């Protein structure tokens, strides 16, 4: 039996998340087919065919797949679903949107956000904001899964030489259409795959002050993240949110500034290799997970830190 | 038009989950339970739609043990018109929940179903998408804004790179994200009134939906704990440790 992965891509390139999903598929152990669905996506299909561990690329090119509408992607996956034992998606906004549709259409439970492959039918996934880890076993013929990307070391981008086959497109849904997007512009690395993340919380007080974090992020080639409180208050846009219900990150270094460390925030960053925290309250729970804690006013500490990084 | 909202009774978000000693699950005896926060947002949105004149009735549905009546009563106190409890002692998976919601959808024929994007206990983020696939209705997940445009909806969605907007035909399934609205608190007189609002209970067996699936929980374990580190005395010590001890910058 084989494993099918729905590849994610944008701007003509694979998203890094797909490499992590390939790594999870490799652990399951069967042949790996990558499904590339897009519009004008030949370059992506080519890139997919050279990923290490991928044996086949199925390429469906049609306007229906341009904007990752869940209805259209799920319908496409369903045309080939019965050839696969495992169907994997990244646990991204896009993957989470599509996976449950496919599971429902196959009448099997979805398995969300796996962090470990114990065997071809047994997986570990966090529940209760990562305060517990559930080991789940599927006896279904098809296992439909999203993969937590930070739990699987990205596979290599080269080394494979998969065949690329064309897959017939399905009809676009008439019930849903794409209107537009408001993507925030940033030259910073992508949050979920950055090696260093600098995050700000309610303690930052306003969006203007996030410039202090940008400055530090610039020096560390880091991504900038935030707590829910900072997003809700409008300091930064929604895609900055790290946590149980935002993005999960696990960089080499996570610096939490003016963040108290609520369970929901910890759920999104406690697998970081090294955690540093700056908070003026020595009782803040963030210090219980921080390798290096600095009890200080961030408005004093950040300018100093920025200067310290120059030296 | 009727709007159906799904409300789940979950461990309160302020309570830290504890794994049972026998690893069978989470300790839920004698702990505070509340409405899933995303479902409060769902109820609030349904009420605003009704208040704007776009719906006549808001129906709150919960699936769970008899105590889930309290969760439904909370929705009624916020302003929902009536409640439906599908009663079961079993912990059900999103696939089964979606089938049970579909059962209610067939009975009530709402124009819109609003559910949370994620239950904060199982963290599945599946039910709304599954219900959409099962009903064949359009899906608008992770909504941060919902606008009526004739018999369609414009929904702004929170995605990984920012916001996007889609247009969906009705009937549709919406799942709520955190920024959709700020849920109201139930006022005391409304809590009293809610006690008199209709609440129908349907035993799960009467729905004809099979509640078991091929997915089972083998065991539930504590996550690995992080050891607390050191408190540094100043910024220069922090920089030094990050550079020379942790070697991450
Ligand atoms: C359903 C649900 C989902 C949620 N999902 C998420 C999620 O995904 N991610 C998330 O982050 N949260 C999430 N939350 C919210 C979470 O519970 C907390 O409310 C939130 O994380 C708090 O953010 P904060 O730490 O920035 O704010 P606060 O808790 O208010 O902490 C601010 C901190 O800044 C410190 N501070 C203030 N001023 C200064 C200063 N000048 N110098 C230094 N330190 C200072 C304070 O001491 C304090 O510790 C969720 C909540 C719910 C109910
Ligand atoms: N037992 C339940 N009763 C009512 N609604 C539920 C139940 N389980 C899930 N839901 C709804 O589905 C949403 C997503 O849940 P989940 O897919 O489990 O993360 C929740 O926010 C609820 O709106």
């Amino acid at each position: 039996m084989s494993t099918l992965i729905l590849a994610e891509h944008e701007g003509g390139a694979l998203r890094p998340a797909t490499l992590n999903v390939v790594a999870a598929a490799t652990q399951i152990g069967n042949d790996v087919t990558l499904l590339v669905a897009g519009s004008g996506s030949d370059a992506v299909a080519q890139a997919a065919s050279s990923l290490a561990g991928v044996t086949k690329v199925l390429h469906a090119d049609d306007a229906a797949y341009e904007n990752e509408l869940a209805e259209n992607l799920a319908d496409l996956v369903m045309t080939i679903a019965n050839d696969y034992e495992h169907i994997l998606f990244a646990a991204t906004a896009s993957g989470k949107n599509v996976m449950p549709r496919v599971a429902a259409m196959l009448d099997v439970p979805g398995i969300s956000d796996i962090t470990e492959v114990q065997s071809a039918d047994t997986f570990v996934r966090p529940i209760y904001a990562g305060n517990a880890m559930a080991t789940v076993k599927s006896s279904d013929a098809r296992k439909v899964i999203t993969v937590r990307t930070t739990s699987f070391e990205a596979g290599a981008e080269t080394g494979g030489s998969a065949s690329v086959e064309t897959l017939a497109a399905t009809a676009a849904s008439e019930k849903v259409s794409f209107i537009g997007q408001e993507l925030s512009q940033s030259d910073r690395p992508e949050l979920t795959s950055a090696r260093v993340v600098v995050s700000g919380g309610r303690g930052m007080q306003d969006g203007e002050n996030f410039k202090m974090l940008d400055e530090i992020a610039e020096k560390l080639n880091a991504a900038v993240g935030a707590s829910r409180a900072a997003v809700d208050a409008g300091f930064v846009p929604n895609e900055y949110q790290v946590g149980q219900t935002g993005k999960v990150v696990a960089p080499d270094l996570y610096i939490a500034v003016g963040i108290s460390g609520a369970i929901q925030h910890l759920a999104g960053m406690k697998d970081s290799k090294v955690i540093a925290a700056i908070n003026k309250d020595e009782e803040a729970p963030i210090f219980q997970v921080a390798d290096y804690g600095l009890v200080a006013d961030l408005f004093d500490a950040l300018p100093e830190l920025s200067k310290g990084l120059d030296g | 038009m009727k709007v159906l909202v799904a409300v789940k009774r979950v461990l309160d978000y302020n309570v830290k989950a504890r794994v049972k000693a026998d690893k069978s699950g989470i300790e839920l005896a004698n702990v505070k339970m509340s409405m899933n926060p995303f479902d409060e947002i769902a109820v609030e949105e349904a009420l605003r739609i009704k208040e704007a004149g776009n719906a006549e009735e808001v129906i709150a549905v919960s699936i769970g043990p008899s105590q889930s009546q309290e969760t439904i009563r909370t929705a009624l106190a916020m302003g929902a018109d009536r409640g439906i409890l599908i009663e079961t002692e079993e912990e059900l998976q999103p696939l089964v929940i979606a089938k049970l919601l579909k059962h209610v959808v067939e009975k009530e024929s709402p124009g819109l179903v609003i559910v949370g994007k994620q239950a904060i206990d199982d963290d599945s983020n599946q039910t709304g998408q599954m219900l959409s696939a099962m009903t064949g209705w359009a899906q608008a997940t992770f909504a941060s804004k919902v606008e009526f445009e004739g018999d369609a909806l414009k929904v702004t969605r929170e995605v990984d790179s920012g916001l996007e907007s889609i247009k969906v035909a009705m009937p549709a399934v919406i799942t709520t994200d955190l920024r959709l609205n700020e849920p109201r608190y139930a006022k005391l007189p409304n809590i009293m009134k809610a006690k008199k609002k209709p609440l129908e209970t349907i035993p799960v067996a009467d729905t004809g939906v099979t509640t078991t699936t091929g997915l089972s929980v083998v065991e539930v374990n504590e996550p690995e704990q992080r050891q607390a580190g050191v408190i540094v005395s100043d910024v220069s010590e922090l920089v030094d440790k990050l550079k020379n001890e942790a070697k991450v910058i």
Side-chain angles (χ1 to χ4, degrees):
Chain A
M1 273 310 244
S2 313
T3 299
L4 179 70
I5 298 173
L6 179 64
E8 285 191 30
H9 57 95
E10 67 188 313
L14 285 165
R15 288 197 184 123
T18 298
L19 299 177
N20 305 95
V21 184
V22 171
T26 309
Q27 290 189 16
I28 291 170
N30 299 324
D31 283 354
V32 179
T33 299
L34 220 58
L35 171 57
V36 174
S39 174
S41 51
D42 288 355
V44 181
Q46 279 313 317
S49 70
S50 61
L51 298 189
V54 173
T55 40
K56 184 155 100 181
V57 172
L58 293 174
H59 183 208
D61 201 82
D62 192 277
Y65 311 122
E66 187 167 353
N67 298 298
E68 302 184 280
L69 293 172
E71 282 85 347
N72 299 346
L73 290 174
D75 284 352
L76 179 67
V77 171
M78 285 305 290
T79 63
I80 47 171
N82 284 326
D83 298 338
Y84 298 91
E85 182 177 348
H86 295 84
I87 304 177
L88 307 189
F89 302 82
T92 53
S94 179
K96 291 173 186 175
N97 202 27
V98 185
M99 178 279 261
R101 294 189 69 84
V102 172
M105 289 191 265
L106 291 169
D107 196 22
V108 297
I111 308 174
S112 297
D113 217 15
I114 63 162
T115 54
E116 196 185 320
V117 174
Q118 286 199 341
S119 71
D121 64 6
T122 307
F123 310 93
V124 177
R125 58 175 302 264
I127 53 175
Y128 288 86
N131 284 304
M133 304 301 286
T135 305
V136 296
K137 190 178 162 90
S138 163
S139 61
D140 290 303
R142 313 241 116 57
K143 294 149 185 74
V144 184
I145 294 170
T146 56
V147 174
R148 177 173 288 201
T149 55
T150 53
S151 299
F152 298 88
E153 191 99 28
E157 270 178 273
T158 54
S161 56
S163 61
V164 180
E165 291 172 24
T166 301
L167 182 66
T170 46
S173 166
E174 285 166 9
K175 293 178 181 155
V176 51
S177 56
F178 184 80
I179 300 176
Q181 53 195 3
E182 246 176 73
L183 304 184
S184 51
Q185 298 299 325
S186 165
D187 340 320
R188 302 255 57 81
E190 201 263 319
L191 186 54
T192 54
S193 51
R195 220 185 49 78
V196 179
V197 173
V198 185
S199 283
R202 200 195 310 266
M204 295 301 296
Q205 285 180 11
D206 59 36
E208 194 56 28
N209 291 332
F210 262 76
K211 290 205 176 123
M212 293 192 288
L213 298 184
D214 288 335
E215 190 180 307
I216 288 165
E218 179 81 42
K219 293 180 183 175
L220 294 172
N221 191 27
V224 178
S227 69
R228 173 189 174 181
V231 176
D232 282 6
F235 302 171
V236 287
N238 61 282
E239 70 270 19
Y240 281 52
Q241 184 181 314
V242 170
Q244 178 189 16
T245 63
K247 287 178 180 162
V248 175
V249 302
D252 289 348
L253 172 63
Y254 187 87
I255 308 180
V257 184
I259 292 178
S260 61
I263 330 176
Q264 293 84 8
H265 188 77
L266 300 185
M269 45 64 80
K270 71 183 165 64
D271 290 333
S272 304
K273 286 207 187 76
V274 174
I275 298 173
I278 302 174
N279 196 302
K280 68 177 179 188
D281 173 11
E282 60 181 339
E283 303 283 318
I286 191 76
F287 289 126
Q288 288 163 24
V289 299
D291 301 282
Y292 303 108
L294 176 63
V295 182
D297 191 306
L298 67 91
F299 294 100
D300 299 328
L302 289 179
E304 260 188 76
L305 178 59
S306 182
K307 232 184 268 153
L309 293 173
D310 294 333
Chain B
M1 180 183 85
K2 296 179 189 173
V3 180
L4 206 72
V5 284
V7 294
K8 185 178 188 185
R9 178 176 181 267
V10 297
L11 182 67
D12 186 84
Y13 81 97
N14 268 315
V15 179
K16 186 165 190 271
R18 306 228 171 269
V19 174
K20 282 188 192 166
D22 68 1
K23 298 185 172 188
S24 64
I26 299 297
E27 197 54 74
L28 292 179
N30 305 314
V31 289
K32 187 178 178 205
M33 304 290 284
S34 305
M35 186 189 296
N36 183 42
F38 286 100
D39 302 350
E40 293 179 25
I41 298 172
V43 174
E44 177 65 36
E45 196 63 20
L47 296 175
R48 291 186 190 186
I49 288 169
K50 183 182 166 189
E51 286 158 5
N54 288 316
E56 284 82 51
E57 192 182 28
V58 175
I59 308 168
V61 186
S62 193
I63 297 150
S66 63
Q67 295 94 314
S68 305
Q69 287 184 13
E70 293 162 24
T71 314
I72 295 176
R73 292 285 173 210
T74 304
L76 298 177
M78 286 172 75
D81 299 293
R82 64 187 164 95
I84 299 173
L85 169 65
I86 299 184
E87 197 172 341
T88 173
E89 289 299 322
E90 275 178 279
E91 230 178 273
L92 301 177
Q93 292 163 9
L95 178 73
V96 180
I97 299 292
K99 287 179 183 176
L100 292 168
L101 289 175
K102 180 169 176 256
H103 176 84
V104 180
V105 162
E106 282 163 0
K107 197 165 122 187
E108 299 286 350
S109 308
L112 204 56
V113 180
I114 312 181
V115 310
K117 102 164 166 182
Q118 174 175 340
I120 60 162
D121 50 3
D122 65 35
D123 282 334
S124 290
N125 194 332
Q126 295 180 13
T127 304
Q129 296 88 314
M130 287 184 149
L131 179 64
S132 161
M134 290 172 187
T135 51
W137 294 3
Q139 152 178 333
T141 52
F142 324 150
S144 70
K145 197 172 182 189
V146 175
E147 296 159 277
F148 278 73
E149 292 187 343
D151 51 8
L153 297 171
K154 181 183 173 194
V155 179
T156 307
R157 309 180 53 236
E158 294 199 0
V159 293
D160 287 341
S161 46
L163 295 172
E164 69 171 39
S165 51
I166 58 173
K167 189 171 175 170
V168 295
M170 289 212 277
V173 179
I174 295 175
T175 82
T176 61
D177 217 320
L178 294 168
R179 263 66 62 177
L180 181 57
N181 61 48
E182 234 180 276
R184 68 194 69 185
Y185 289 102
K187 296 195 196 87
L188 192 60
N190 293 344
I191 295 172
M192 302 310 290
K193 265 192 248 163
K195 293 189 176 145
K196 299 205 185 72
K197 288 185 179 175
L199 198 172
E200 176 191 0
T201 298
I202 305 172
V204 74
D206 291 4
T207 62
V209 171
T210 310
T211 55
T212 51
T213 76
L215 188 70
S216 56
V217 176
V218 181
E219 58 180 33
V220 175
N221 287 290
E222 299 261 0
E224 267 176 54
Q225 297 299 331
R226 265 193 104 91
Q227 298 301 317
V230 296
I231 295 289
V232 296
S233 55
D234 54 26
V235 170
S236 60
E237 188 186 348
L238 178 63
V239 173
D240 176 65
K241 295 266 192 206
L242 292 176
K243 258 193 193 139
N244 302 314
E245 191 176 84
K247 298 188 166 54
V248 284
I249 59 172

